[in-house]
Amino acid sequence: MLTVRQRLLALLTLCLTLLAAPALPAQAQAPASGAASGASSAKALVRDPVVFVHGYNADPGVWGSLREDLRADGYADSELFSFGYDTHQSVNEVLSGRLAAYVAEVRRQTGAARVDLVAHSFGSLVTRWYVKFGGGGPYVDQWVSLAGPNRGTSTAWACALWDQACRDMTPGSYVVKNLNSGDETPGAVRYATFWSNCDEVINPDDSVPLTGAVNTPVGCLKHNDLLGDDPTSAGVRAFLRS
């Protein structure tokens, strides 16, 4: 049996041992680990709002399929915007400025520093002019062109006599020439194009790809079929996530 003195010595030794022991790593690191995980999750949820810009003789309704796919990917309706406009007006004199005002309003509503632009056909020229000459470079993160007449299309001559937008789309037009002078993909914006070798509107087919962009052939699809094609949608969504 331990004496009273031996018991006191044993108790003192135990107390000194507990005081000297380091804090358990799991207990000390748990809050920091949780905070880091929360910050990482919050960062993962941050994304740019998307502004869709339709093509010639079209309206925002053409984006139904791609909007639905983005919603399935987790985008809220409050992150998806469609710019509607009169497609018979000038790219450089009218439409680029109207797009600039629309993007500014989207940024004001969402608090976003930049947006992603997804354009079809003629909308590719409108968005490119905004980025290159309309002051949009600092406010655009990623730019996507579906079947855009980026180097002009000969089919636009059919309506060029009476329609300004058609004149803008003709090969060698003021708009096409200036957009492709110097750097075709300027600034810190990331560019992607998707094009078909069976496009009945864009002639030649390789008018769509741009130097400095991620250029993706989608196979044999008609001009408007790119808007509802599942592999094309997957490619656009992957680019926006990258």
Side-chain angles (χ1 to χ4, degrees):
M1 180 178 293
L2 295 176
T3 65
V4 173
R5 182 178 180 182
Q6 287 173 325
R7 290 176 181 175
L8 289 174
L9 286 172
L11 180 61
L12 179 59
T13 300
L14 178 60
C15 290
L16 290 173
T17 301
L18 291 174
L19 288 173
L24 294 176
Q27 294 174 331
Q29 295 177 7
S33 176
S37 175
S40 176
S41 298
K43 184 177 180 180
L45 291 174
V46 174
R47 59 186 163 227
D48 302 315
V50 177
V51 175
F52 298 103
V53 182
H54 62 75
Y56 182 73
N57 267 351
D59 59 54
V62 302
W63 297 111
S65 180
L66 188 51
R67 286 178 68 100
E68 189 62 34
D69 288 345
L70 285 171
R71 281 195 292 265
D73 277 357
Y75 280 80
D77 284 327
S78 58
E79 297 173 298
L80 302 174
F81 298 83
S82 295
F83 174 59
Y85 63 103
D86 180 353
T87 64
H88 304 286
Q89 297 180 310
S90 167
V91 166
N92 57 308
E93 294 177 348
V94 179
L95 298 179
S96 173
R98 291 184 179 174
L99 176 60
Y102 187 84
V103 170
E105 178 59 20
V106 169
R107 293 176 55 244
R108 186 194 67 78
Q109 286 184 27
T110 61
R114 294 182 295 178
V115 303
D116 291 334
L117 294 176
V118 179
H120 178 243
S121 193
F122 177 61
S124 302
L125 301 185
V126 177
T127 52
R128 284 184 71 197
W129 195 278
Y130 163 63
V131 171
K132 188 168 185 176
F133 300 116
Y139 307 120
V140 176
D141 188 7
Q142 302 185 100
W143 174 91
V144 177
S145 169
L146 304 178
N150 291 312
R151 301 184 190 282
T153 175
S154 62
T155 60
W157 288 113
C159 51
L161 185 62
W162 63 85
D163 192 284
Q164 179 60 51
C166 288
R167 286 193 289 276
D168 289 346
M169 286 189 282
T170 57
S173 72
Y174 175 86
V175 168
V176 168
K177 187 183 300 181
N178 280 276
L179 285 175
N180 297 316
S181 64
D183 191 351
E184 296 177 357
T185 52
V189 179
R190 297 180 63 246
Y191 297 82
T193 74
F194 294 80
W195 62 280
S196 165
N197 60 358
C198 296
D199 195 324
E200 78 283 10
V201 173
I202 305 302
N203 185 35
D205 299 328
D206 61 3
S207 173
V208 183
L210 293 170
T211 302
V214 178
N215 300 301
T216 303
V218 298
C220 186
L221 294 176
K222 291 189 177 298
H223 186 67
N224 289 332
D225 288 349
L226 276 77
L227 292 165
D229 179 60
D230 288 339
T232 302
S233 171
V236 171
R237 289 178 287 129
F239 180 75
L240 294 179
R241 287 194 301 267
S242 64

